[in-house]
Amino acid sequence: MDCIRLEYDVDGENFASAGNASESVKRTLKQLGIPPASVRRVAIAMYEGEINMVIHAHGGKAVAEIYPDRIDITLKDTGPGIADIGLAMKAGWSTASENIRSLGFGAGMGLPNMKKYSDEMDIDSVVGVGTTVFLRIRF
Amino acid sequence: MAVTLKTVVLDSEKCIGCITCMRRCPTEAIRIVNGKAKILYEKCINCGECVRSCKGGAKRPVYDSFDLVKSYPYKIALPSPSLFGQFNNLDDPNYVIEGLLALGFDDVFEVGLAAELVTDCTKKLMRKNTLERPVISSACPAIAELIFLRYHELKDHLLNLYAPAKIAAKLAKKQAIEQGVPADDIGIFFISPCPAKVYSLHREEVSNEKYISGVLSQSDVYFRLVEKMNKIKNPRKLLRCGYSGLGWGSSGGESNSLGLGNYIHCSGARNVQGILAEMSDGKLDGADFVELNMCPGGCVGGVLNVENPFIARNRMRQLAEKLKIPPATMEQFGLDESFFLWDKAPEPSTSFQLDTDRFAAMQKLMKVEEYLKKLPGIDCGACGAPTCRTHAEDVVKSGGVLDCVKLREVK
Ligand SMILES: Nc1ncnc2c1ncn2[C@@H]1O[C@H](COP(=O)(O)OP(=O)(O)OP(=O)(O)O)[C@@H](O)[C@H]1O
Ligand code: SF4
Ligand code: SF4
Ligand SMILES: [Mg+2]
């Protein structure tokens, strides 16, 4: 069977719409009857990735590929890139500005949570070019 | 009630097929079929939003007839906190209790009193820390239905305690039997602010035993009650519930009475769905308690009320502030947790799924996505479905063909 491919433009200017892509994927997984615990892992991991694109990278593209046994999520942006991925992955490490923190983001927990809730995670980033985050979550 | 569990029905004569209710239904449970607004009951959570939004009164709530009360030798009324907010110039809630007795009830057991006991039990369970945080209140049955329909990932967060109306019924029955009333003579009637409670008390999804004989409508009882209340001069001090119990009638009352610091209360279909979505993304993980009410303002906003919810809320607050009665405790009533705990958890509904088989569901979803590319995406409602997506899903599920006015124009 082919996969179901869902594509989203993640708007980097609009905080209110941040989370729309993961919301839509969540709805889709529920319609497929994917177990609630898996839906929750996908929701949290994808939401964090989506929000990162909005706050750190002026938006980008999200692609979700749903297979019978798993979902592959690719989040691709053309933002500033991450200089030290190892450091970025550390719990509590964040470059978020005061403004962003006042919105409740910037605890430095997004990437660690994405790692925790996914089965596979891969970050490909070049400073000045952009970042691509790949997440795989098995149902 | 005549076994049917339809708590809202359509009066076809009055329905003009205007799509207002279809747009407002929070679970996309309404379709316009042959010009009439048909409810897909497997998706209906009995919230009453369609009753509220239909200007022509074509969506009718279903509840038990007041005549049913007469068929029991010993009648007990269970008034909900929101009932007390319905009366203009009421300065003493005891008028309501006296009025119910004058209406022919032999006893009155306030749901507000039972609510205080539920609060006490909730506090004990929260202290034990055995519940999945944030705990979601299960008092609004429409919320519980919504979670079992669309938010399965949150079902373990639902507080597994009976709602106050059920506790009131259990206690009222127990007391009557202790007083020597034969069990078969006892008729217990809940006076409901909403179709959701009509449904849940008849359906008894979380309990093995039924305690309610009938569920009456607050507006139906209201008019009979005012007539009696007007004749009462000096009501006795019969009221047993206090500030905390009456507070349950509006949004925030339940969580407020728990004395917690980190909680959220929110009401209205849209707001509630927003909070549920945030919860399932793990964004409210720090909160202890989440009180959600489907109706705007809480149960004072239920469609079986007569008064504007915000006016009723103001009145109830003023009434409640005067009450000096301390909240009831489980010890007072000699109860332990087992009296409150659900006998069983409801089965989640699969009606939101495209198919119960994952592969079949995936095939159907691909078809839906394919159709969506053809449809204009303007959600005009002319096809009889609330959105282009629901139309595509309906067509895929039924095996029919797309019926879109825009597509026809193109041809
Ligand atoms: N898509 C991205 N583009 C550029 N930098 C990123 C991107 N995603 C993450 N980062 C960098 O990695 C850091 C850590 O990310 P992480 O998501 O863990 O924390 P945060 O976003 O700062 O805070 P939180 O996710 O808790 O709100 C960020 O502060 C940012 O510097
Ligand atoms: S009662 Fe609520 S869920 Fe049921 S059809 Fe009406 S609006 Fe929809
Ligand atoms: S908020 Fe109260 S009145 Fe409204 S549906 Fe829920 S329980 Fe019924
Ligand atoms: Mg982040």
Side-chain angles (χ1 to χ4, degrees), chain B residues 95 97 177 183 219 247 266 343 355 361 387:
Chain B
Y95 279 99
I97 315 277
I177 289 173
S219 53
C266 135
D343 288 333
D355 200 296
T387 60

Side-chain angles (χ1 to χ4, degrees), chain B residues 47-65:
Chain B
C47 67
E49 185 58 41
C50 52
V51 179
R52 191 179 283 122
S53 62
C54 179
K55 289 182 229 47
K59 280 269 160 44
R60 276 195 295 112
V62 182
Y63 41 82
D64 292 306
S65 144

Side-chain angles (χ1 to χ4, degrees), chain B residues 286-304:
Chain B
D288 287 315
F289 197 79
V290 177
E291 175 192 342
L292 303 173
N293 284 101
M294 207 61 188
C295 297
C299 296
V300 283
V303 289
L304 300 180

Side-chain angles (χ1 to χ4, degrees), chain B residues 124-133 135 156 337:
Chain B
K124 291 200 166 71
L125 291 186
M126 303 269 304
R127 241 176 270 136
K128 279 194 187 166
N129 229 350
T130 47
L131 303 166
E132 194 90 44
R133 304 285 165 117
V135 175
D156 296 333
E337 285 159 21

Side-chain angles (χ1 to χ4, degrees), chain B residues 197-381:
Chain B
K197 283 179 170 164
V198 175
Y199 182 89
S200 73
L201 286 164
H202 273 293
R203 181 77 185 264
E204 291 293 7
E205 283 169 307
V206 294
S207 160
N208 295 328
E209 206 178 327
K210 190 166 172 174
Y211 291 88
I212 295 273
S213 317
V215 185
L216 308 171
S217 149
Q218 205 139 279
S219 53
D220 186 11
V221 172
Y222 175 84
F223 293 102
R224 300 164 198 265
L225 196 53
V226 233
E227 203 189 307
K228 299 287 179 194
M229 282 167 64
N230 283 338
K231 297 200 185 99
I232 294 161
K233 289 284 170 292
N234 292 305
R236 290 165 285 171
K237 294 253 167 295
L238 299 170
L239 188 85
R240 293 198 284 164
C241 93
Y243 181 84
S244 151
L246 268 194
W248 273 63
S250 46
S251 173
E254 179 187 6
S255 31
N256 210 354
S257 68
L258 287 170
L260 299 164
N262 195 348
Y263 67 86
I264 284 176
H265 74 86
C266 135
S267 65
R270 270 187 86 97
N271 298 335
V272 154
Q273 284 182 299
I275 290 292
L276 289 171
E278 302 252 334
M279 268 190 88
S280 74
D281 288 344
K283 281 187 272 168
L284 300 183
D285 281 355
D288 287 315
F289 197 79
V290 177
E291 175 192 342
L292 303 173
N293 284 101
M294 207 61 188
C295 297
C299 296
V300 283
V303 289
L304 300 180
N305 288 306
V306 285
E307 188 50 277
N308 172 292
F310 300 97
I311 294 176
R313 172 148 76 177
N314 177 33
R315 286 184 190 152
M316 281 167 55
R317 186 176 38 78
Q318 295 187 43
L319 280 178
E321 277 167 0
K322 280 196 272 180
L323 297 176
K324 297 279 177 289
I325 313 166
T329 64
M330 287 159 68
E331 288 71 27
Q332 263 174 346
F333 284 77
L335 303 173
D336 60 27
E337 285 159 21
S338 63
F339 193 82
F340 297 82
L341 287 168
W342 289 353
D343 288 333
K344 55 186 180 201
E347 273 301 304
S349 154
T350 55
S351 350
F352 188 57
Q353 294 172 27
L354 289 169
D355 200 296
T356 47
D357 175 80
R358 191 183 297 172
F359 288 91
M362 284 188 72
Q363 300 285 5
K364 287 183 181 167
L365 188 70
M366 286 181 197
K367 199 81 198 158
V368 169
E369 294 294 328
E370 188 189 313
Y371 282 164
L372 272 175
K373 290 197 183 98
K374 292 187 191 155
L375 293 170
I378 54 171
D379 299 342
C380 72

Side-chain angles (χ1 to χ4, degrees), chain A residues 3-60:
Chain A
C3 73
I4 295 167
R5 192 182 153 90
L6 305 168
E7 290 185 28
Y8 306 90
D9 282 321
V10 178
D11 183 353
E13 305 301 316
N14 188 352
F15 268 102
S17 69
N20 284 0
S22 62
E23 192 57 42
S24 163
V25 167
K26 194 160 70 174
R27 180 192 156 104
T28 304
L29 295 180
K30 288 181 190 183
Q31 285 190 309
L32 296 177
I34 301 302
S38 307
V39 174
R40 202 176 147 82
R41 288 166 60 215
V42 174
I44 297 176
M46 182 164 176
Y47 172 78
E48 289 295 348
E50 194 181 341
I51 286 289
N52 275 356
M53 287 204 293
V54 178
I55 22 188
H56 305 296
H58 322 292

Side-chain angles (χ1 to χ4, degrees), chain B residues 154-208:
Chain B
L154 297 175
K155 70 176 171 34
D156 296 333
H157 291 256
L158 266 179
L159 182 60
N160 58 339
L161 299 182
Y162 293 133
K166 167 86 176 181
I167 294 296
K170 268 183 101 171
L171 280 170
K173 186 157 190 176
K174 190 169 160 254
Q175 284 183 0
I177 289 173
E178 280 164 9
Q179 285 163 20
V181 184
D184 289 345
D185 285 1
I186 306 171
I188 302 181
F189 292 88
F190 174 63
I191 306 168
S192 181
C194 63
K197 283 179 170 164
V198 175
Y199 182 89
S200 73
L201 286 164
H202 273 293
R203 181 77 185 264
E204 291 293 7
E205 283 169 307
V206 294
S207 160
N208 295 328

